[in-house]
Amino acid sequence: MRYNFKYIIPATILAAFLTACTNNARESDGDILVRVGNETLTRSELIKRIPSGTVEADSVRLARAFVRSWIDSRLVSEIAARNIGDMSEIDRLTAEYRNELIAYEYRRRMADQRVETTFSDDSLKAYYDANQGRFITTQPIVRGVYIKVPDNAPQLPQLRKLYRSDKVDDIDRLEKQELVGVIHYDYFRDRWVEWDQIEARIPVDFGNDPVGYLKTHPHVDVTSGGFTYLLDITDVIPKGAKMPFEFAREHIKRDMTYQRRIAFDNEMRRELLKEADENGELTIFCDLDS
């Protein structure tokens, strides 16, 4: 029977489709889509493989690809099993891989549950000071203000006056009174942002040396496609420079969390080894200390 995969969108539509197309309702209430030998692919398994929110055309493509791949792998496996003969090595590798997956998943879950992921500012700063060579910018980082507004917005003259100001009162006025109708506003003078996040928003060619451009053109005011883009860059750090501590903070947390997870994993495995030895569940006939 030929299945029409254009109906594989939400689970409710797929269920109705399979109810209509499945001949043997006794088989998991029509849940079976395909059978190869003793293995089956079910509706519920297929639904899990289609990400929620996938558009219709992509759902069709993903469903077809998955079912074809599933069929191909099972057919090849069936033929291979009949022709390889001695499956002992395959069985050994399968069991070994399964054990590795189980152990990895257990270790991951235990680390997720027990490794502390909060750090004091003092510990973060101490790690930063001791490992400054690890925290180097891979692209320019900047601080400033960015605004996108329709070029016929009545408040545009006021925006042009206020967005470049370094006075607190002017920024308060900008944010409280002048942002109605603004498409995008981002105040990032208080945090560092990677340059590509800003560059992608503005229809300007900054060339191969954006740092040089920004040093000579810190204020950008350009109109394109019915919108005006305003950018004020107050600070810029080039690629290859030491990251400021504030920008490096998340990198430091990731590093320190990883180190804690490694330490926890090592300790957990030592404890498991000790417990198994004490319980008589482990016998080692070789020297593991050298």
Side-chain angles (χ1 to χ4, degrees), residues 39-249:
E39 292 196 64
T40 58
L41 173 64
T42 64
R43 172 193 61 187
S44 54
E45 178 63 20
L46 181 59
I47 290 173
K48 292 177 183 178
R49 302 292 180 153
I50 308 299
S52 59
T54 305
V55 298
E56 180 174 350
D58 288 341
S59 294
V60 173
R61 178 178 56 80
L62 290 173
R64 283 177 174 157
F66 178 76
V67 174
R68 287 168 180 161
S69 175
W70 189 92
I71 293 172
D72 288 345
S73 67
R74 269 62 182 183
L75 287 175
V76 172
S77 178
E78 287 281 328
I79 294 172
R82 291 196 296 267
N83 287 275
I84 289 178
D86 183 6
M87 295 288 290
S88 58
E89 181 63 11
I90 300 295
D91 293 339
R92 184 190 67 79
L93 291 173
T94 300
E96 185 175 312
Y97 183 54
R98 180 177 183 275
N99 288 337
E100 290 177 356
L101 287 177
I102 293 172
Y104 171 80
E105 183 62 17
Y106 176 75
R107 291 159 63 186
R108 184 190 66 80
R109 292 188 183 189
M110 294 299 291
D112 286 345
Q113 294 173 15
R114 300 190 182 183
V115 172
E116 179 60 55
T117 58
T118 58
F119 305 90
S120 68
D121 283 343
D122 287 344
S123 65
L124 293 173
K125 189 64 168 60
Y127 188 89
Y128 172 78
D129 290 339
N131 298 274
Q132 292 189 19
R134 295 174 56 87
F135 304 112
I136 304 299
T137 57
T138 57
Q139 63 172 295
I141 58 176
V142 295
R143 295 194 293 199
V145 177
Y146 164 76
I147 300 174
K148 176 182 178 180
V149 62
D151 59 14
N152 59 356
Q155 77 273 33
L156 184 54
Q158 286 301 316
L159 291 174
R160 284 189 164 117
K161 290 180 181 179
L162 298 174
Y163 88 103
R164 293 168 53 174
S165 176
D166 58 0
K167 297 179 180 178
V168 175
D169 290 344
D170 286 342
I171 297 300
D172 285 344
R173 178 183 170 189
L174 171 69
E175 295 181 344
K176 292 177 181 178
Q177 301 179 22
E178 306 297 345
L179 294 183
V180 176
V182 167
I183 304 300
H184 193 179
Y185 169 73
D186 190 1
Y187 180 92
F188 54 100
R189 286 179 180 166
D190 55 353
R191 71 185 194 279
W192 292 98
V193 176
E194 291 182 329
W195 170 241
D196 62 359
Q197 297 181 32
I198 304 302
E199 182 180 28
R201 304 176 185 176
I202 303 177
V204 173
D205 183 4
F206 293 94
N208 296 325
D209 182 20
V211 172
Y213 185 101
L214 294 172
K215 286 183 177 179
T216 56
H217 304 82
H219 315 299
V220 176
D221 184 338
V222 61
T223 297
S224 176
F227 299 98
T228 293
Y229 302 81
L230 305 174
L231 176 66
D232 177 59
I233 296 298
T234 54
D235 299 282
V236 58
I237 293 178
K239 173 183 177 180
K242 183 178 72 173
M243 293 180 184
F245 172 69
E246 296 79 9
F247 185 79
R249 180 185 293 269

